[in-house]
Amino acid sequence: MVYRTKLPNMASVANPQGDGRLYAPSAERNSAPIIKTIQRIAPKSGQSLEIASGSGQHIVQLASCLPNLSWLPSEVDEDRLTSISAWIAAENLPNVKPPLYLDATEPGWVKNLPQFDFILLVNLLHLISWNEAVILISELPKAMKKNGTVLIYGPFMRSGLLTSVGDKNFHNSLTQADPDIGYKNDLDVLKLFSNSGLSHLETVEMPANNLGFVLKK
C-alpha cells in the first residue's frame, strides 16, 4: 500500500505529544465501544493481531482491558510505529509485543506471520482501494487459527447509500483526495467475507454510525 499523505484532515488526525507518542482524538472516542464489543466476542486467552494500529492508543487500552490476550500491533507508517512503541513503553504492559511493520494490502502479507486467535481491524477499509481491500480480506483466514475471530470496524455504506450528512461529507472528502478510496458498501464487503471463507456472525451497530463486522474462520 502506498501510504496516502493527501488524505483530508478529518481522515487521519494524530497530534504529536512531544515524547514520540501521537494522540488521535478519534481513537480516544471509539476505544470504549470497540473494547466492549471485543470483551464480548474475543476468546478469553490467546494470540491477537491488530492490523493498522495507528497511534497505538487502542493497543495499550486493549492490553490493559484484556490481559489474558497477547497483543501484536502493526503498522505501515514509520511515525505511527514510533508512536506505538512509545505508548507501549509508557504503559509498561507485559502482554503487548513490539510493533510489527506490516502492509496488509500486499499479496502474501500473512506468509511470515503465525496464526492468531483474534484479529482486529479499525478504520482502514475506507482509506484503501477496493483492490487493496480484496487482498487484505482474502488473506485474513490464512492468519487465523481454526475458530479464530475477527472484528472489522469502520464507516460503511448501507445497501449502497450514505445514511448521514457526516458520512456523505466524509466520503466525498476521501474520494476528492483519491478517487480509489472511500466508503465500501456493506453488502459488497459481506460478499467478500463469504468468498474469502469467513463466516459472518453478526453486524454490530456502533456509535457515530459505524459498523462492526464479527467474523469467524
Side-chain angles (χ1 to χ4, degrees):
M1 178 179 75
V2 176
Y3 192 78
R4 292 176 170 89
T5 58
K6 294 183 179 180
L7 292 173
N9 290 336
M10 62 193 301
S12 185
V13 177
N15 303 310
Q17 300 298 291
D19 57 1
R21 291 185 293 175
L22 298 171
Y23 177 84
S26 63
E28 192 63 33
R29 288 194 300 269
N30 64 31
S31 61
I34 290 172
I35 290 170
K36 183 178 179 181
T37 300
I38 293 171
Q39 287 173 324
R40 179 172 63 83
I41 66 169
K44 300 303 181 186
S45 62
Q47 303 296 315
S48 301
L49 169 69
E50 184 182 27
I51 299 172
S53 296
S55 66
Q57 289 160 258
H58 280 161
I59 203 74
V60 294
Q61 293 186 49
L62 288 162
S64 176
C65 294
L66 295 107
N68 292 326
L69 286 171
S70 177
W71 291 91
L72 174 62
S74 69
E75 250 299 338
V76 71
D77 176 61
E78 293 296 338
D79 289 341
R80 283 164 170 74
L81 285 166
T82 298
S83 178
I84 296 164
S85 295
W87 275 102
I88 294 170
E91 299 296 329
N92 193 29
L93 293 162
N95 58 326
V96 187
K97 298 181 176 70
L100 173 73
Y101 176 89
L102 177 66
D103 184 351
T105 68
E106 286 289 329
W109 61 266
V110 303
K111 63 183 178 183
N112 294 319
L113 291 176
Q115 290 187 312
F116 296 90
D117 301 283
F118 179 72
I119 297 177
L120 174 64
L121 177 68
V122 173
N123 283 340
L124 181 64
L125 292 188
H126 59 293
L127 302 180
I128 62 178
S129 70
W130 177 253
N131 287 339
E132 290 171 325
V134 169
I135 292 168
L136 191 159
I137 300 301
S138 65
E139 297 270 351
L140 264 182
K142 302 174 190 175
M144 300 167 64
K145 294 181 182 178
K146 185 179 180 181
N147 296 319
T149 305
V150 179
L151 175 63
I152 296 179
Y153 168 99
F156 294 89
M157 295 181 189
R158 270 65 158 192
S159 300
L161 300 176
L162 296 162
T163 56
S164 76
V165 173
D167 282 338
K168 291 175 184 177
N169 291 339
F170 189 23
H171 173 74
N172 289 339
S173 71
L174 291 170
T175 57
Q176 287 170 10
D178 183 341
D180 288 335
I181 67 174
Y183 283 33
K184 309 301 184 281
N185 184 27
D186 59 351
L187 300 180
D188 293 337
V189 294
L190 286 169
K191 185 175 181 180
L192 177 56
F193 300 151
S194 178
N195 290 343
S196 300
L198 294 168
S199 298
H200 173 234
L201 299 185
E202 62 176 307
T203 300
V204 184
E205 290 284 346
M206 304 292 274
N209 213 32
N210 289 299
L211 296 176
F213 295 106
V214 182
L215 312 168
K216 196 103 173 172
K217 179 175 178 179

